[in-house]
Coordinates of all heavy atoms in Angstrom, one line a residue:
M1025 N -13.1 -12.1 56.2 CA -12.9 -11.7 54.7 C -13.3 -10.3 54.5 O -14.4 -9.9 54.8 CB -13.6 -12.6 53.8 CG -13.0 -14.0 53.7 SD -11.5 -13.9 52.7 CE -12.2 -14.1 51.1
P1026 N -12.5 -9.4 53.8 CA -13.0 -8.1 53.4 C -14.0 -8.2 52.4 O -14.1 -9.2 51.5 CB -11.7 -7.5 52.8 CG -10.8 -8.6 52.4 CD -11.2 -9.8 53.3
D1027 N -14.9 -7.2 52.3 CA -16.0 -7.2 51.3 C -15.4 -7.0 49.9 O -16.0 -7.4 48.9 CB -17.0 -6.1 51.7 CG -17.8 -6.4 52.9 OD1 -17.7 -7.6 53.2 OD2 -18.3 -5.5 53.5
L1028 N -14.4 -6.2 49.9 CA -14.0 -5.8 48.5 C -12.4 -5.9 48.5 O -11.7 -5.4 49.4 CB -14.4 -4.3 48.3 CG -14.0 -3.7 47.0 CD1 -14.5 -4.4 45.8 CD2 -14.3 -2.2 47.0
V1029 N -11.9 -6.6 47.5 CA -10.5 -6.7 47.2 C -10.1 -5.9 46.0 O -10.7 -6.2 45.0 CB -9.9 -8.1 47.1 CG1 -8.5 -8.2 46.9 CG2 -10.3 -8.8 48.4
L1030 N -9.2 -5.1 46.0 CA -8.9 -4.3 44.9 C -7.7 -5.0 44.1 O -6.7 -5.1 44.7 CB -8.4 -2.8 45.2 CG -9.6 -2.0 45.6 CD1 -9.0 -0.6 46.0 CD2 -10.7 -1.7 44.6
L1031 N -7.9 -5.5 43.0 CA -7.0 -6.2 42.2 C -6.2 -5.2 41.3 O -6.7 -4.2 40.9 CB -7.7 -7.3 41.3 CG -8.4 -8.4 42.0 CD1 -9.2 -9.1 41.1 CD2 -7.4 -9.3 42.8
P1032 N -4.9 -5.5 41.1 CA -4.1 -4.6 40.3 C -4.7 -4.7 38.8 O -5.2 -5.7 38.4 CB -2.7 -5.1 40.2 CG -2.8 -6.5 40.8 CD -4.0 -6.6 41.6
K1033 N -4.6 -3.5 38.2 CA -5.1 -3.5 36.7 C -4.2 -4.3 36.0 O -3.0 -4.2 36.0 CB -5.1 -2.0 36.3 CG -6.0 -1.6 35.2 CD -5.9 0.0 35.2 CE -6.5 0.4 33.9 NZ -6.2 1.9 33.7
P1034 N -4.8 -5.2 35.1 CA -3.9 -6.0 34.3 C -3.1 -5.1 33.2 O -3.8 -4.2 32.7 CB -4.8 -7.0 33.5 CG -6.2 -6.6 33.9 CD -6.2 -5.5 34.9
K1035 N -1.9 -5.5 33.1 CA -1.0 -4.6 32.2 C -1.0 -5.0 30.8 O 0.0 -5.2 30.1 CB 0.4 -4.4 32.8 CG 0.4 -3.7 34.1 CD 1.9 -3.1 34.4 CE 1.9 -2.3 35.6 NZ 2.0 -3.3 36.9
T1036 N -2.1 -5.4 30.2 CA -2.2 -5.8 28.9 C -2.4 -4.5 28.0 O -3.2 -3.8 28.4 CB -3.3 -6.8 28.6 OG1 -4.6 -6.4 29.0 CG2 -3.0 -8.2 29.2
R1037 N -1.6 -4.5 26.9 CA -1.8 -3.3 26.0 C -2.2 -3.8 24.6 O -1.6 -4.9 24.2 CB -0.6 -2.5 25.9 CG -0.4 -1.6 27.1 CD 0.8 -0.7 27.0 NE 0.6 0.3 25.8 CZ 1.4 0.2 24.8 NH1 2.2 -0.7 24.6 NH2 1.2 1.1 23.8
T1038 N -3.1 -3.2 23.9 CA -3.4 -3.6 22.6 C -2.4 -3.0 21.6 O -2.3 -1.8 21.6 CB -4.9 -3.1 22.2 OG1 -5.7 -3.8 23.2 CG2 -5.2 -3.8 20.8
E1039 N -1.6 -3.8 21.0 CA -0.6 -3.2 20.1 C -1.2 -3.0 18.7 O -2.0 -3.7 18.3 CB 0.7 -4.1 20.0 CG 1.3 -4.2 21.2 CD 2.8 -4.9 21.2 OE1 3.2 -4.8 20.0 OE2 3.2 -5.3 22.2
R1040 N -0.8 -1.8 18.2 CA -1.4 -1.5 16.8 C -0.6 -2.4 15.8 O 0.6 -2.6 16.0 CB -1.2 0.0 16.5 CG -2.3 0.9 17.2 CD -1.9 2.2 17.0 NE -0.7 2.6 17.7 CZ 0.0 3.9 17.6 NH1 -0.6 4.8 17.0 NH2 1.1 4.0 18.3
P1041 N -1.2 -2.8 14.7 CA -0.6 -3.6 13.7 C 0.5 -2.9 13.0 O 0.4 -1.5 12.9 CB -1.7 -4.0 12.8 CG -2.7 -3.0 12.9 CD -2.7 -2.6 14.4
R1042 N 1.6 -3.6 12.7 CA 2.6 -2.9 11.9 C 2.1 -2.6 10.4 O 1.3 -3.3 9.9 CB 3.9 -3.8 11.6 CG 4.5 -4.1 12.9 CD 5.7 -5.1 12.7 NE 5.1 -6.2 12.0 CZ 5.8 -7.3 11.8 NH1 7.1 -7.4 12.2 NH2 5.3 -8.4 11.0
L1043 N 2.4 -1.4 9.9 CA 1.9 -1.0 8.6 C 3.0 -1.1 7.5 O 4.2 -1.0 7.8 CB 1.4 0.5 8.8 CG 0.2 0.6 9.7 CD1 -0.3 2.0 9.8 CD2 -1.0 -0.3 9.3
Y1044 N 2.4 -1.4 6.4 CA 3.3 -1.6 5.1 C 2.9 -0.6 4.0 O 1.7 -0.5 3.8 CB 3.2 -3.1 4.6 CG 3.9 -4.0 5.6 CD1 3.3 -4.3 6.8 CD2 5.1 -4.6 5.2 CE1 4.0 -5.2 7.6 CE2 5.8 -5.4 6.0 CZ 5.2 -5.8 7.3 OH 5.9 -6.5 8.1
K1045 N 3.9 0.0 3.4 CA 3.7 0.9 2.3 C 3.6 0.0 1.0 O 4.4 -0.8 0.9 CB 4.8 1.8 2.2 CG 5.0 2.8 3.3 CD 6.2 3.8 3.2 CE 7.5 3.1 3.6 NZ 8.6 4.0 3.8
V1046 N 2.7 0.4 0.1 CA 2.7 -0.1 -1.2 C 3.4 1.0 -2.1 O 3.1 2.1 -2.0 CB 1.4 -0.4 -1.8 CG1 1.4 -0.9 -3.2 CG2 0.7 -1.4 -0.9
I1047 N 4.5 0.6 -2.8 CA 5.2 1.5 -3.6 C 5.2 1.1 -5.1 O 5.3 0.0 -5.5 CB 6.7 1.5 -3.1 CG1 6.8 1.9 -1.6 CG2 7.6 2.4 -4.0 CD1 8.1 1.5 -1.0
L1048 N 4.9 2.2 -5.9 CA 4.8 2.1 -7.3 C 6.2 2.4 -7.9 O 6.8 3.4 -7.5 CB 3.8 3.0 -7.9 CG 3.7 3.3 -9.4 CD1 3.5 2.0 -10.2 CD2 2.8 4.4 -9.7
L1049 N 6.7 1.5 -8.7 CA 8.1 1.8 -9.3 C 7.9 2.2 -10.8 O 7.1 1.7 -11.5 CB 8.9 0.5 -9.3 CG 9.1 -0.1 -7.9 CD1 9.9 -1.4 -8.0 CD2 9.8 0.8 -7.0
N1050 N 8.6 3.2 -11.2 CA 8.7 3.6 -12.6 C 9.3 2.6 -13.5 O 10.2 1.8 -13.1 CB 9.4 5.0 -12.7 CG 9.2 5.5 -14.1 OD1 8.1 5.4 -14.8 ND2 10.3 6.1 -14.7
D1051 N 8.8 2.6 -14.7 CA 9.5 1.8 -15.8 C 9.4 2.6 -17.1 O 8.6 3.6 -17.2 CB 9.0 0.4 -15.9 CG 7.5 0.4 -16.4 OD1 7.4 0.7 -17.6 OD2 6.6 0.2 -15.7
D1052 N 10.1 2.2 -18.2 CA 10.1 3.0 -19.4 C 9.0 2.5 -20.4 O 9.0 3.0 -21.5 CB 11.4 2.8 -20.1 CG 12.5 3.6 -19.4 OD1 12.2 4.5 -18.5 OD2 13.7 3.3 -19.5
F1053 N 8.3 1.4 -20.0 CA 7.4 0.8 -21.1 C 5.8 0.9 -20.7 O 5.1 1.0 -21.7 CB 7.8 -0.6 -21.2 CG 9.2 -0.7 -21.5 CD1 10.2 -1.1 -20.5 CD2 9.6 -0.6 -22.9 CE1 11.5 -1.4 -20.9 CE2 11.0 -0.8 -23.2 CZ 11.9 -1.0 -22.1
T1054 N 5.5 0.9 -19.5 CA 4.0 0.9 -19.2 C 3.4 2.3 -19.5 O 4.0 3.3 -19.1 CB 3.8 0.6 -17.8 OG1 4.5 -0.6 -17.4 CG2 2.3 0.4 -17.4
P1055 N 2.4 2.3 -20.5 CA 1.8 3.6 -20.7 C 1.2 4.2 -19.5 O 0.7 3.6 -18.5 CB 0.6 3.2 -21.7 CG 0.9 1.9 -22.2 CD 1.7 1.1 -21.0
R1056 N 1.3 5.6 -19.5 CA 0.8 6.4 -18.3 C -0.7 6.1 -18.1 O -1.0 6.0 -16.9 CB 1.0 7.8 -18.6 CG 2.4 8.3 -18.7 CD 2.4 9.8 -19.0 NE 3.7 10.3 -19.2 CZ 4.1 11.5 -18.9 NH1 3.2 12.4 -18.4 NH2 5.4 11.9 -19.1
D1057 N -1.5 6.1 -19.1 CA -2.9 5.9 -18.8 C -3.2 4.4 -18.2 O -4.2 4.3 -17.5 CB -3.8 6.2 -20.0 CG -3.4 5.4 -21.2 OD1 -2.4 4.6 -21.2 OD2 -4.4 5.3 -22.1
F1058 N -2.4 3.5 -18.5 CA -2.6 2.2 -18.0 C -2.3 2.2 -16.5 O -2.9 1.6 -15.6 CB -1.7 1.1 -18.7 CG -2.1 -0.3 -18.2 CD1 -3.0 -1.0 -18.7 CD2 -1.2 -0.9 -17.2 CE1 -3.3 -2.4 -18.3 CE2 -1.5 -2.2 -16.7 CZ -2.6 -2.9 -17.2
V1059 N -1.2 2.8 -16.0 CA -0.8 3.0 -14.7 C -2.0 3.6 -13.9 O -2.4 3.2 -12.8 CB 0.5 3.8 -14.5 CG1 0.8 3.9 -13.0 CG2 1.7 3.3 -15.3
V1060 N -2.6 4.7 -14.5 CA -3.6 5.4 -13.9 C -4.8 4.5 -13.7 O -5.4 4.4 -12.6 CB -4.0 6.6 -14.7 CG1 -5.4 7.2 -14.1 CG2 -3.0 7.7 -14.5
K1061 N -5.1 3.6 -14.8 CA -6.3 2.8 -14.6 C -6.0 1.7 -13.5 O -7.0 1.4 -12.7 CB -6.4 2.0 -16.0 CG -7.6 1.1 -16.2 CD -7.7 0.6 -17.5 CE -7.2 -0.9 -17.6 NZ -7.4 -1.6 -18.9
V1062 N -4.9 1.2 -13.4 CA -4.5 0.2 -12.3 C -4.7 0.9 -10.9 O -5.3 0.3 -10.0 CB -3.2 -0.4 -12.4 CG1 -2.7 -1.2 -11.2 CG2 -3.0 -1.2 -13.7
L1063 N -4.2 2.0 -10.7 CA -4.2 2.8 -9.5 C -5.7 3.0 -9.1 O -6.1 2.8 -7.9 CB -3.5 4.1 -9.5 CG -2.0 4.0 -9.6 CD1 -1.3 5.4 -9.9 CD2 -1.4 3.4 -8.3
K1064 N -6.5 3.3 -10.0 CA -7.9 3.6 -9.7 C -8.7 2.2 -9.4 O -9.4 2.2 -8.4 CB -8.6 4.2 -11.0 CG -8.3 5.7 -11.1 CD -8.6 6.2 -12.5 CE -10.2 6.5 -12.7 NZ -10.5 7.0 -14.0
A1065 N -8.3 1.2 -10.1 CA -9.0 -0.1 -9.9 C -8.6 -0.8 -8.6 O -9.5 -1.2 -7.8 CB -8.7 -1.0 -11.1
V1066 N -7.4 -0.8 -8.2 CA -6.8 -1.6 -7.1 C -6.9 -0.7 -5.8 O -7.1 -1.3 -4.8 CB -5.4 -2.2 -7.4 CG1 -4.9 -3.0 -6.2 CG2 -5.5 -3.1 -8.6
F1067 N -6.5 0.6 -6.0 CA -6.4 1.4 -4.8 C -7.5 2.4 -4.6 O -7.5 3.3 -3.7 CB -5.0 2.1 -4.7 CG -3.8 1.1 -4.8 CD1 -3.3 0.8 -6.1 CD2 -3.4 0.4 -3.7 CE1 -2.3 -0.2 -6.1 CE2 -2.3 -0.5 -3.8 CZ -1.8 -0.8 -5.0
R1068 N -8.6 2.2 -5.4 CA -9.7 3.1 -5.3 C -9.4 4.6 -5.3 O -10.0 5.3 -4.5 CB -10.6 2.7 -4.0 CG -11.0 1.3 -3.9 CD -11.6 0.8 -5.1 NE -12.4 -0.3 -4.9 CZ -13.8 -0.3 -4.9 NH1 -14.4 0.9 -4.9 NH2 -14.5 -1.4 -4.9
M1069 N -8.5 5.0 -6.1 CA -8.1 6.4 -6.2 C -9.0 7.1 -7.3 O -9.6 6.5 -8.3 CB -6.7 6.5 -6.8 CG -5.7 6.1 -5.7 SD -4.0 6.4 -6.3 CE -3.1 6.1 -4.8
T1070 N -9.2 8.4 -7.0 CA -9.8 9.2 -8.1 C -8.8 9.4 -9.2 O -7.6 9.2 -9.1 CB -10.2 10.6 -7.4 OG1 -9.0 11.2 -7.1 CG2 -11.1 10.5 -6.3
E1071 N -9.3 9.8 -10.4 CA -8.4 10.1 -11.5 C -7.4 11.1 -11.1 O -6.2 10.8 -11.4 CB -9.3 10.8 -12.6 CG -8.6 11.1 -13.8 CD -8.4 10.1 -14.9 OE1 -9.1 9.0 -14.7 OE2 -7.5 10.1 -15.6
A1072 N -7.7 12.2 -10.4 CA -6.6 13.2 -10.0 C -5.6 12.6 -9.1 O -4.4 12.8 -9.1 CB -7.3 14.3 -9.3
E1073 N -6.1 11.7 -8.0 CA -5.1 11.1 -7.2 C -4.2 10.1 -7.9 O -3.0 10.2 -7.7 CB -5.8 10.3 -6.1 CG -6.6 11.2 -5.1 CD -7.6 10.3 -4.2 OE1 -8.0 9.2 -4.6 OE2 -8.0 10.9 -3.2
A1074 N -4.7 9.4 -8.8 CA -4.0 8.4 -9.6 C -3.0 9.1 -10.5 O -1.8 8.7 -10.6 CB -4.9 7.5 -10.4
L1075 N -3.4 10.2 -11.1 CA -2.5 10.9 -12.0 C -1.3 11.5 -11.2 O -0.1 11.5 -11.6 CB -3.2 12.1 -12.6 CG -3.6 12.0 -14.1 CD1 -4.5 13.3 -14.5 CD2 -2.3 12.0 -14.9
G1076 N -1.6 12.0 -10.0 CA -0.5 12.5 -9.1 C 0.5 11.5 -8.7 O 1.7 11.7 -8.8
V1077 N 0.0 10.3 -8.4 CA 0.9 9.3 -8.0 C 1.7 8.8 -9.1 O 2.9 8.6 -9.1 CB 0.1 8.1 -7.3 CG1 0.9 6.8 -7.1 CG2 -0.4 8.6 -5.9
M1078 N 1.0 8.6 -10.3 CA 1.8 8.1 -11.5 C 2.9 9.1 -11.9 O 4.0 8.7 -12.2 CB 0.7 7.9 -12.6 CG 1.3 7.4 -13.9 SD 2.0 8.7 -15.0 CE 0.6 9.7 -15.4
L1079 N 2.5 10.4 -11.8 CA 3.5 11.4 -12.3 C 4.7 11.5 -11.3 O 5.8 11.6 -11.8 CB 2.9 12.7 -12.4 CG 2.0 13.0 -13.7 CD1 1.3 14.3 -13.6 CD2 3.0 12.8 -15.0
T1080 N 4.4 11.3 -10.0 CA 5.5 11.3 -9.0 C 6.4 10.1 -9.2 O 7.7 10.3 -9.3 CB 4.9 11.3 -7.5 OG1 4.2 12.4 -7.4 CG2 6.1 11.3 -6.5
A1081 N 5.8 9.0 -9.5 CA 6.7 7.7 -9.8 C 7.5 8.0 -11.1 O 8.7 7.6 -11.2 CB 5.8 6.5 -9.9
H1082 N 6.9 8.5 -12.1 CA 7.5 8.8 -13.3 C 8.7 9.8 -13.2 O 9.7 9.5 -13.9 CB 6.5 9.4 -14.3 CG 6.9 9.7 -15.7 ND1 7.3 8.7 -16.7 CD2 7.2 10.9 -16.2 CE1 7.7 9.4 -17.7 NE2 7.7 10.7 -17.6
R1083 N 8.5 10.8 -12.4 CA 9.6 11.8 -12.3 C 10.7 11.4 -11.3 O 11.9 11.6 -11.4 CB 8.9 13.1 -11.8 CG 8.1 13.8 -12.8 CD 7.5 15.0 -12.3 NE 6.6 15.7 -13.4 CZ 5.4 16.2 -13.0 NH1 5.0 16.2 -11.8 NH2 4.7 16.6 -14.0
K1084 N 10.3 10.6 -10.2 CA 11.2 10.4 -9.1 C 11.7 9.0 -9.1 O 12.7 8.7 -8.3 CB 10.6 10.8 -7.8 CG 10.2 12.2 -7.6 CD 9.8 12.6 -6.3 CE 10.0 14.0 -5.9 NZ 9.8 14.4 -4.6
G1085 N 11.0 8.1 -9.9 CA 11.4 6.7 -9.9 C 10.5 5.8 -9.1 O 10.4 4.6 -9.3
A1086 N 9.9 6.4 -8.0 CA 9.0 5.6 -7.2 C 8.0 6.6 -6.5 O 8.4 7.7 -6.3 CB 9.8 4.7 -6.2
C1087 N 6.9 5.9 -6.0 CA 5.9 6.7 -5.2 C 5.2 5.9 -4.3 O 4.8 4.7 -4.6 CB 5.1 7.5 -6.1 SG 3.9 8.6 -5.2
V1088 N 5.0 6.3 -3.0 CA 4.2 5.5 -2.1 C 2.8 5.8 -2.5 O 2.3 6.9 -2.7 CB 4.4 6.1 -0.6 CG1 3.4 5.3 0.3 CG2 5.8 5.9 -0.2
V1089 N 2.1 4.6 -2.6 CA 0.7 4.6 -3.2 C -0.2 4.7 -2.0 O -1.2 5.5 -1.9 CB 0.4 3.3 -3.9 CG1 -1.0 3.3 -4.4 CG2 1.3 3.2 -5.1
A1090 N 0.0 3.9 -1.0 CA -1.0 3.8 0.2 C -0.3 3.0 1.3 O 0.8 2.3 1.0 CB -2.3 3.2 -0.2
V1091 N -0.9 3.0 2.5 CA -0.4 2.2 3.6 C -1.5 1.4 4.1 O -2.6 1.8 4.4 CB 0.2 3.1 4.7 CG1 0.5 2.4 6.0 CG2 1.4 4.0 4.2
Y1092 N -1.1 0.0 4.4 CA -2.1 -0.9 4.9 C -1.5 -1.9 5.9 O -0.2 -1.9 6.1 CB -2.7 -1.8 3.7 CG -3.2 -1.1 2.6 CD1 -2.5 -0.8 1.4 CD2 -4.6 -0.6 2.6 CE1 -3.1 -0.2 0.3 CE2 -5.1 0.0 1.5 CZ -4.4 0.3 0.4 OH -4.9 0.9 -0.7
T1093 N -2.2 -2.8 6.4 CA -1.6 -3.9 7.2 C -0.9 -4.9 6.1 O -1.2 -4.8 5.0 CB -2.8 -4.7 8.0 OG1 -3.7 -5.0 7.0 CG2 -3.3 -3.8 9.1
Q1094 N -0.1 -5.7 6.6 CA 0.8 -6.5 5.8 C 0.0 -7.3 4.7 O 0.4 -7.2 3.5 CB 1.7 -7.4 6.6 CG 2.7 -8.2 5.7 CD 3.6 -9.0 6.5 OE1 3.5 -9.3 7.7 NE2 4.7 -9.4 5.9
E1095 N -1.0 -8.0 5.1 CA -1.8 -8.9 4.3 C -2.4 -8.1 3.1 O -2.3 -8.4 1.9 CB -2.8 -9.6 5.0 CG -3.6 -10.5 4.2 CD -3.3 -12.0 4.5 OE1 -2.3 -12.3 5.2 OE2 -4.2 -12.8 4.2
V1096 N -3.1 -6.9 3.5 CA -3.7 -6.1 2.5 C -2.7 -5.5 1.5 O -2.9 -5.5 0.3 CB -4.5 -5.0 3.2 CG1 -5.2 -4.1 2.2 CG2 -5.7 -5.7 4.0
A1097 N -1.6 -5.0 2.1 CA -0.5 -4.4 1.2 C 0.0 -5.3 0.2 O 0.2 -5.0 -0.9 CB 0.5 -3.8 2.1
E1098 N 0.3 -6.6 0.7 CA 0.9 -7.5 -0.3 C -0.1 -8.1 -1.3 O 0.3 -8.2 -2.4 CB 1.4 -8.8 0.6 CG 2.8 -8.3 1.3 CD 3.3 -9.4 2.3 OE1 2.6 -10.4 2.5 OE2 4.4 -9.2 2.9
T1099 N -1.3 -8.1 -0.8 CA -2.4 -8.6 -1.9 C -2.6 -7.5 -2.9 O -2.6 -7.9 -4.1 CB -3.7 -8.9 -1.1 OG1 -3.4 -9.9 -0.1 CG2 -4.8 -9.3 -2.1
K1100 N -2.6 -6.3 -2.5 CA -3.0 -5.2 -3.5 C -1.8 -5.0 -4.4 O -1.8 -4.9 -5.6 CB -3.2 -4.0 -2.8 CG -4.7 -3.9 -2.3 CD -5.1 -2.6 -1.7 CE -6.5 -2.6 -1.2 NZ -7.5 -2.4 -2.2
A1101 N -0.5 -5.1 -3.8 CA 0.7 -5.0 -4.6 C 0.7 -6.1 -5.7 O 1.1 -5.9 -6.9 CB 2.0 -5.1 -3.8
R1102 N 0.4 -7.3 -5.3 CA 0.4 -8.5 -6.3 C -0.7 -8.2 -7.3 O -0.5 -8.5 -8.5 CB 0.2 -9.7 -5.5 CG 0.3 -11.0 -6.3 CD 0.3 -12.3 -5.7 NE 0.2 -12.2 -4.3 CZ -0.9 -12.3 -3.5 NH1 -2.1 -12.5 -4.2 NH2 -0.9 -12.3 -2.2
Q1103 N -1.9 -7.9 -6.9 CA -2.9 -7.7 -7.9 C -2.6 -6.6 -8.9 O -2.9 -6.8 -10.1 CB -4.3 -7.2 -7.2 CG -5.0 -8.3 -6.4 CD -6.2 -7.8 -5.6 OE1 -6.3 -6.6 -5.3 NE2 -7.0 -8.6 -5.2
A1104 N -2.1 -5.6 -8.4 CA -1.8 -4.4 -9.3 C -0.6 -4.8 -10.3 O -0.7 -4.5 -11.4 CB -1.3 -3.2 -8.5
T1105 N 0.4 -5.5 -9.8 CA 1.5 -6.0 -10.6 C 1.0 -7.0 -11.6 O 1.4 -7.0 -12.8 CB 2.6 -6.7 -9.7 OG1 3.1 -5.7 -8.8 CG2 3.8 -7.2 -10.5
D1106 N 0.0 -7.8 -11.2 CA -0.5 -9.0 -12.1 C -1.3 -8.2 -13.3 O -1.3 -8.8 -14.4 CB -1.5 -9.8 -11.3 CG -0.7 -10.9 -10.5 OD1 0.6 -10.9 -10.7 OD2 -1.4 -11.5 -9.7
M1107 N -2.0 -7.1 -13.0 CA -2.7 -6.4 -14.1 C -1.8 -6.0 -15.1 O -2.1 -6.1 -16.4 CB -3.5 -5.2 -13.5 CG -4.9 -5.6 -12.8 SD -5.6 -4.1 -12.3 CE -6.3 -3.4 -13.8
G1108 N -0.6 -5.6 -14.7 CA 0.4 -5.1 -15.7 C 0.9 -6.4 -16.5 O 1.0 -6.2 -17.7
S1109 N 1.3 -7.4 -15.8 CA 1.9 -8.6 -16.4 C 0.9 -9.1 -17.5 O 1.3 -9.5 -18.6 CB 2.1 -9.7 -15.4 OG 2.9 -9.2 -14.4
Q1110 N -0.4 -9.1 -17.1 CA -1.4 -9.7 -18.0 C -1.5 -8.9 -19.2 O -2.0 -9.4 -20.3 CB -2.8 -9.9 -17.2 CG -2.7 -11.2 -16.4 CD -3.9 -11.3 -15.5 OE1 -5.0 -10.7 -15.7 NE2 -3.8 -12.1 -14.5
A1111 N -1.3 -7.7 -19.2 CA -1.3 -6.8 -20.3 C 0.0 -6.7 -21.1 O 0.1 -6.0 -22.0 CB -1.8 -5.4 -19.9
G1112 N 1.0 -7.4 -20.5 CA 2.3 -7.4 -21.2 C 3.3 -6.3 -20.8 O 4.2 -6.0 -21.5
Y1113 N 3.0 -5.7 -19.6 CA 3.8 -4.5 -19.2 C 4.6 -4.9 -17.9 O 4.2 -5.8 -17.2 CB 2.9 -3.4 -18.8 CG 2.1 -2.9 -20.0 CD1 0.7 -2.6 -19.9 CD2 2.8 -2.5 -21.2 CE1 0.0 -2.2 -21.0 CE2 2.1 -2.0 -22.2 CZ 0.6 -1.8 -22.2 OH 0.0 -1.4 -23.3
P1114 N 5.8 -4.3 -17.8 CA 6.6 -4.6 -16.6 C 6.3 -3.8 -15.3 O 7.1 -3.7 -14.4 CB 8.0 -4.2 -17.1 CG 7.8 -3.0 -18.0 CD 6.5 -3.3 -18.7
L1115 N 5.1 -3.3 -15.3 CA 4.6 -2.5 -14.2 C 4.9 -3.2 -12.9 O 4.5 -4.4 -12.8 CB 3.1 -2.2 -14.3 CG 2.5 -1.3 -13.2 CD1 3.0 0.0 -13.3 CD2 0.9 -1.3 -13.5
A1116 N 5.5 -2.5 -11.8 CA 5.7 -3.2 -10.6 C 5.5 -2.4 -9.4 O 5.6 -1.2 -9.3 CB 7.3 -3.5 -10.6
F1117 N 4.8 -3.1 -8.5 CA 4.6 -2.5 -7.1 C 5.3 -3.4 -6.1 O 5.2 -4.6 -6.2 CB 3.0 -2.7 -6.8 CG 2.2 -1.8 -7.7 CD1 1.9 -2.1 -9.0 CD2 1.7 -0.6 -7.2 CE1 1.1 -1.3 -9.8 CE2 0.9 0.3 -8.0 CZ 0.7 0.0 -9.2
T1118 N 5.8 -2.8 -5.1 CA 6.5 -3.5 -4.0 C 5.9 -3.0 -2.7 O 5.2 -2.1 -2.6 CB 8.0 -3.2 -4.0 OG1 8.2 -1.8 -3.7 CG2 8.7 -3.6 -5.2
T1119 N 6.2 -3.8 -1.5 CA 5.8 -3.4 -0.3 C 7.0 -3.1 0.6 O 8.0 -3.8 0.4 CB 4.9 -4.4 0.4 OG1 5.6 -5.6 0.5 CG2 3.6 -4.6 -0.5
E1120 N 6.8 -2.3 1.6 CA 8.0 -2.0 2.5 C 7.4 -1.7 3.9 O 6.4 -1.0 4.0 CB 8.7 -0.8 2.0 CG 10.1 -0.5 2.6 CD 10.6 0.7 2.0 OE1 11.1 0.7 0.7 OE2 10.7 1.8 2.7
R1121 N 8.0 -2.3 4.9 CA 7.4 -2.0 6.3 C 7.7 -0.6 6.7 O 8.8 -0.1 6.4 CB 8.2 -3.0 7.2 CG 7.4 -3.3 8.4 CD 8.1 -4.1 9.4 NE 8.2 -3.5 10.8 CZ 8.7 -4.1 11.8 NH1 9.4 -5.3 11.6 NH2 8.7 -3.6 12.9
E1122 N 6.8 0.0 7.3 CA 6.9 1.4 7.8 C 7.7 1.4 9.1 O 7.6 0.4 9.9 CB 5.5 1.9 8.1 CG 4.9 2.8 7.0 CD 4.0 3.9 7.5 OE1 3.4 3.7 8.6 OE2 3.9 4.8 6.7
E1123 N 8.4 2.4 9.3 CA 9.2 2.5 10.6 C 8.3 2.7 11.8 O 7.3 3.4 11.7 CB 10.1 3.8 10.5 CG 11.0 3.8 9.3 CD 11.7 2.5 9.1 OE1 12.2 1.9 10.1 OE2 11.8 2.0 8.0
Ligands
TYC2021 N1 7.5 6.1 -17.4 C1 6.2 5.5 -18.1 C2 6.1 6.1 -19.5 O1 6.9 7.1 -19.7 C3 4.9 5.8 -17.3 C4 5.0 5.2 -16.0 C5 4.8 6.0 -14.9 C6 5.3 3.8 -15.7 C7 4.8 5.5 -13.6 C8 5.3 3.4 -14.5 O2 5.2 3.7 -12.1 C9 5.1 4.1 -13.4 N2 5.4 5.5 -20.3

């Protein structure tokens, strides 16, 4: 018997998780300061970051808020949308898989 047998390196690769974007959609009814409040609370943004994202959605119709793994993205989108519903606003966040 040989003292040492060299085995082939196993070809297992750790795949990175697929990422999902959380997207803020504009609407005509939710007050701007309420959108900013939700962005700060759910996505831990600073006032300046939240203002920038809110204004981009307001001007362009939608804005990517952040990117997470699927579970986190869907939970945060739901929490943020629920904050709007509970205050009587149609504020909406969606998720979309990243390429
Ligand atoms: N368009 C809203 C207004 O004029 C403000 C707003 C901005 C609402 C961004 C939603 O994603 C949004 N009051």
Side-chain angles (χ1 to χ4, degrees):
M1025 282 287 276
D1027 291 338
L1028 180 64
V1029 177
L1030 292 174
L1031 296 168
K1033 205 169 161 189
K1035 289 200 179 83
T1036 51
R1037 281 185 66 248
T1038 306
E1039 294 194 19
R1040 283 171 297 175
R1042 293 175 313 188
L1043 295 177
Y1044 286 71
K1045 296 178 277 195
V1046 176
I1047 298 163
L1048 167 64
L1049 304 177
N1050 186 37
D1051 68 71
D1052 292 338
F1053 304 101
T1054 309
R1056 293 177 182 215
D1057 61 341
F1058 186 84
V1059 180
V1060 169
K1061 189 174 98 172
V1062 171
L1063 289 170
K1064 288 165 75 177
V1066 177
F1067 300 96
R1068 303 312 203 101
M1069 289 186 171
T1070 63
E1071 180 81 21
E1073 289 168 342
L1075 253 175
V1077 167
M1078 181 279 292
L1079 282 175
T1080 299
H1082 178 73
R1083 291 179 185 139
K1084 297 189 155 186
C1087 182
V1088 175
V1089 178
V1091 172
Y1092 302 102
T1093 52
Q1094 182 171 21
E1095 181 114 341
V1096 176
E1098 287 174 354
T1099 300
K1100 283 184 181 284
R1102 184 171 1 94
Q1103 285 173 344
T1105 300
D1106 285 350
M1107 278 183 75
S1109 311
Q1110 280 171 23
Y1113 299 127
L1115 183 65
F1117 291 78
T1118 60
T1119 60
E1120 192 179 291
R1121 203 181 131 181
E1122 265 206 335
E1123 306 311 316

